[in-house]
Amino acid sequence: MKKNDLSLRDYLCDKNPWSENGNPIWLASSINLFRNLNKFNFPGKLTTESQKTISILVGDEILKSEVLKSPKLFKAEEMEPIDKEFINERFLSAEGFYQAHAGEAFVLDESGIFLATINIQDHIHLQFMSFTGNLQKSWNYLMRIETNLGKAMNFAFSQRFGFLTSDPSLSGTAMQVHVFLQLPALIHTEIIDGILEETVDETLSITGLHGNPTEVIGDILAVKNNHTLGVTEDSILSSLEAFATKLMARESLARKEIKSSQNSEIKDRISRAYAILIHSYQIEAIEALNALSLVKLGIDLGWVEGMTIQEVNALFFTCRRAHFQCHFDQPISQEELPHRRAEFIHKALKNIKLKI
């Protein structure tokens, strides 16, 4: 495997697939497949030499894929912590990669929406991000890559339990799907809990952006499937899509009610969010994400003008630390970062106007 001259961030910094997303509610989705090689222990029980063998074997096969666009492999031990944070941000991952070390690796391609991790928790974890809301298209793409890999190597598989994984709860299809929805109207009118109680079932889970069910950042809820055993890939996709569609419909209805009633409390929150983004001398990432969600709601309601949904979605992704560093030639210190982020947001929002 050829060593990369570029860092991972250098390779992907100018790839902004989310900038094409004009959906005010469906922020992103991800499809994840977990696979392990037959006759090898799971990564937690592997020797360093076995890890390196698997990393070479799997890495070489993924790099051959005709589906991917100029894929590159990055060895974990050669990556800076900021590169690993970049992966977390790019793929909205609740899993930390900071402890990834020798024998573990990442494969990405220049699309900026495909990720393969090698020997992190399972031998192979394939992930595909989509910012268009088309789950079936994402699944077809990922299935082509997995099918080609399966022709070249034997996966750990049981006739009774399906694909075997390091986490037994993921065996079976070994497929996990996340849909990330931005639901400020339901959250700020405080009717989201009642809706979830009446609509969600045991096959699905709802968490915040980083996997914590009690911490909601940027008004984003992540919906994922609970079961991978005894279900088919198509049933997982259809149940996620059906539930996400229901939530989107309720969010749209709540927005219409807010606008028709000229809800003063929501107007106040949007106005305060606008002021924070425009006038802050320094701002932390979570505060920025929360305020951007409300400004985005204001744009959709016609109460804020001068910026598109696509532009807000792009800013939502690029104001986080690892992606934000892409805009500068020199590293920004942790102390300086909040002020530089505030300046960056001021510039991005220079044309917006509050119409409330």
Side-chain angles (χ1 to χ4, degrees), residues 312-327:
V312 179
N313 284 340
L315 184 58
F316 189 90
F317 280 88
T318 55
C319 75
R320 295 164 305 158
R321 180 169 62 178
H323 280 74
F324 181 65
Q325 293 272 10
C326 288
H327 296 276

Side-chain angles (χ1 to χ4, degrees), residues 96-134:
F97 298 121
Y98 302 103
Q99 303 304 316
H101 55 273
E104 300 172 350
F106 305 87
V107 179
L108 303 99
D109 78 340
E110 64 179 17
S111 71
I113 53 179
F114 169 81
L115 170 68
T117 67
I118 303 174
N119 290 329
I120 302 294
Q121 291 184 345
D122 293 277
H123 296 147
I124 307 168
H125 172 191
L126 304 176
Q127 182 176 355
F128 182 77
M129 294 293 297
S130 172
F131 301 94
T132 65
N134 192 327

Side-chain angles (χ1 to χ4, degrees), residues 186-205:
L186 294 178
I187 289 172
H188 288 279
T189 55
E190 299 181 353
I191 59 177
I192 184 66
D193 289 341
I195 290 174
L196 293 180
E197 286 179 8
E198 71 183 42
T199 56
V200 77
D201 58 48
E202 65 174 14
T203 66
L204 302 174
S205 290

Side-chain angles (χ1 to χ4, degrees), residues 2-118:
K2 192 163 59 176
K3 189 179 186 301
N4 291 302
D5 295 325
L6 291 176
S7 72
L8 185 146
R9 284 191 310 127
D10 290 335
Y11 178 56
L12 288 184
C13 262
D14 62 345
K15 306 297 189 300
N16 302 314
W18 47 76
S19 64
E20 301 301 317
N21 179 10
N23 193 310
I25 302 174
W26 185 300
L27 188 68
S29 60
S30 70
I31 297 184
N32 302 264
L33 288 178
F34 304 90
R35 298 290 186 264
N36 289 282
L37 303 187
N38 195 17
K39 298 182 180 179
F40 281 95
N41 290 330
F42 291 134
K45 298 293 185 179
L46 286 175
T47 64
T48 301
E49 286 305 311
S50 293
Q51 280 188 315
K52 291 180 178 179
T53 298
I54 291 173
S55 183
I56 293 171
L57 174 65
V58 174
D60 283 345
E61 287 301 326
I62 295 176
L63 292 176
K64 292 177 186 176
S65 175
E66 296 180 356
V67 180
L68 301 175
K69 301 176 181 178
S70 302
K72 293 187 182 298
L73 182 140
F74 298 87
K75 295 180 180 179
E77 67 269 25
E78 297 173 355
M79 294 168 58
E80 298 292 331
I82 193 71
D83 289 320
K84 297 171 184 176
E85 184 175 350
F86 185 93
I87 296 176
N88 274 86
E89 291 180 0
R90 172 62 61 108
F91 293 92
L92 300 176
S93 175
E95 177 184 355
F97 298 121
Y98 302 103
Q99 303 304 316
H101 55 273
E104 300 172 350
F106 305 87
V107 179
L108 303 99
D109 78 340
E110 64 179 17
S111 71
I113 53 179
F114 169 81
L115 170 68
T117 67
I118 303 174

Side-chain angles (χ1 to χ4, degrees), residues 219-271:
D219 300 320
I220 295 172
L221 294 184
V223 186
K224 68 175 182 177
N225 58 299
N226 282 335
H227 304 310
T228 59
L229 185 63
V231 291
T232 66
E233 292 87 353
D234 286 340
S235 67
I236 292 172
L237 293 174
S238 62
S239 64
L240 261 292
E241 192 159 26
F243 183 72
T245 300
K246 288 180 182 178
L247 271 186
M248 291 174 67
R250 296 297 291 269
E251 172 71 13
S252 295
L253 179 60
R255 294 185 185 201
K256 289 179 181 178
E257 292 173 350
I258 288 170
K259 187 172 183 177
S260 63
S261 67
Q262 295 291 302
N263 188 303
S264 59
E265 185 175 348
I266 300 300
K267 281 187 174 183
D268 183 62
R269 294 188 186 191
I270 291 172
S271 300

